[in-house]
Amino acid sequence: MTRSRSATYLALTVALLTAAMLPAKGDEVGVSDDAILFGQVAALEGPSSALGQRMRQGIVAAFTEINGKGGVHGRKLQLISRDDGYDPDRSVAQTLQLLEDDKVFALIGAVGTPTAMATIPITSARKVPFIGPFTGAEFLRDLELPNVVNIRASYGAEAEAWIKHLTEDRRFTRIGIFYQDDSFGRDGLVGVKRALARRGLELAAEGTFERNTRAVAAAWRMIKRAEPEAIVMVGTYGPCAEFIKLAHRSGSYPTFVNISFVGANALARELGPEGEGVIVSQVVPFPWDRSLKLVADYQAAQTAFDPTLTPDFVSLEGYLSGRLAAAALEKAGPQPTRASLLRAINDVGRFDISGSIVTVGMRMIDAPPKVFLTVIQKDGTFRAVDRF
């Protein structure tokens, strides 16, 4: 994060902390006469910071748009973002600070599977809404976690889309996997193995790396022996880019397929010209397709918030989360509680966000979120694979 961006972030945080001290109307935590306070714990600094920063930008853009129209039932939506560096222990500490010291109403835009696994027990025990986590982990889709509000497809659904494309469209049979050695990576691994098994296939090779590092050489040595036709990747943009570059330096050019959590735009920037042909699965619409009202509204909101920002898959997902939170609060009525917000979300289950339908809760079973594949072009832009 640049010095000016850091200063802006700190100033916003101080302002939001001041707002959090306003006297509450009624007994609900985080709800004052004129504001509702949300909290976000995500990687804002460090090797995965682009993910947390972009999620935050999208959420704040949505809140700024809503507040410009008078807020929700007369209250402005505000956000405190705290940095966990994509580390589970720090995520626990920051979550507790948001809940106990900042006294936020709900959590939104958390980033990561291992961090979510560490913090979900805290939020579930306190029945705190956990809205729009940036993770497709299967455990978050457990119906025994009614406080979790997912808007994105699962990693299992992404894995199915990868394997379907690689085996049916490309006719590949030798597929390897490069994954982060933790709950996030293993969730992706399970999804890939299941998708292959449905087609009578097994993985050709596996290689892992440690979270928050770029130590990928050992994984490449393990995988290259199998001479895979394709390698699916379950990690963040830094190590995935390092792995692809290492393979290319070794004279190997398999088809690379990345999970949406990678941070597609950040990956393309890291790879530069070497990104051409790399596939990334996506769980939100094209952030540049202004023919969709959702995307046009997102772009307008982001520009109003910060004219220097460019469209991005991750910030669009943050924007969707922010808009969903606002839509659910409208349904919850003029005296919102955590319980009434969750009840509204689960009872409605289907929200029209600028003409695009977002399904949540039980509705996701019958109408699961979409997954589509994109490919990085030579100039770093993206094109849908089905138009390739």
Side-chain angles (χ1 to χ4, degrees), residues 220-241:
W220 171 241
R221 286 195 296 270
M222 288 291 294
I223 293 174
K224 71 177 181 179
R225 297 170 190 163
E227 298 183 348
E229 298 163 290
I231 299 173
V232 296
M233 314 182 79
V234 187
T236 54
Y237 55 92
C240 288

Side-chain angles (χ1 to χ4, degrees), residues 17 20-21 82 93 95-104:
L17 282 169
M21 297 175 186
R82 293 196 171 278
T95 298
L96 288 171
Q97 187 161 359
L98 283 171
L99 295 177
E100 296 177 357
D101 299 338
D102 303 327
K103 300 190 182 306
V104 300

Side-chain angles (χ1 to χ4, degrees), residues 214-216 237-247 249 267 270-271:
R214 295 193 181 211
V216 303
Y237 55 92
C240 288
E242 191 69 26
F243 185 90
I244 292 169
K245 290 178 179 178
L246 180 57
R249 287 198 299 269
L267 177 68
E270 289 260 346
L271 286 171

Side-chain angles (χ1 to χ4, degrees), residues 309-321:
L309 297 177
T310 55
D312 176 274
F313 290 101
V314 180
S315 61
L316 175 54
E317 187 165 337
Y319 175 80
L320 263 174
S321 297

Side-chain angles (χ1 to χ4, degrees), residues 54-62 65 69 265 284-290 292-306 309-321 323 353-354:
R54 285 295 195 172
M55 278 295 286
R56 181 181 183 280
Q57 289 160 3
I59 295 166
V60 175
E65 176 187 338
K69 298 175 181 177
N265 295 75
V284 294
F286 246 56
W288 304 273
D289 184 5
R290 291 180 57 84
L292 293 175
K293 188 175 187 302
L294 168 66
V295 173
D297 287 352
Y298 150 73
Q299 288 190 9
Q302 183 168 257
T303 299
F305 165 58
D306 184 346
L309 297 177
T310 55
D312 176 274
F313 290 101
V314 180
S315 61
L316 175 54
E317 187 165 337
Y319 175 80
L320 263 174
S321 297
R323 287 286 306 276
I353 309 296
S354 292

Side-chain angles (χ1 to χ4, degrees), residues 75-107:
R75 294 187 180 89
K76 301 297 177 67
L77 306 184
Q78 299 177 328
L79 180 70
I80 296 177
S81 296
R82 293 196 171 278
D83 176 37
D84 66 7
Y86 195 30
D87 176 83
D89 291 338
R90 288 176 62 187
S91 196
V92 167
Q94 298 287 27
T95 298
L96 288 171
Q97 187 161 359
L98 283 171
L99 295 177
E100 296 177 357
D101 299 338
D102 303 327
K103 300 190 182 306
V104 300
F105 173 71
L107 295 174

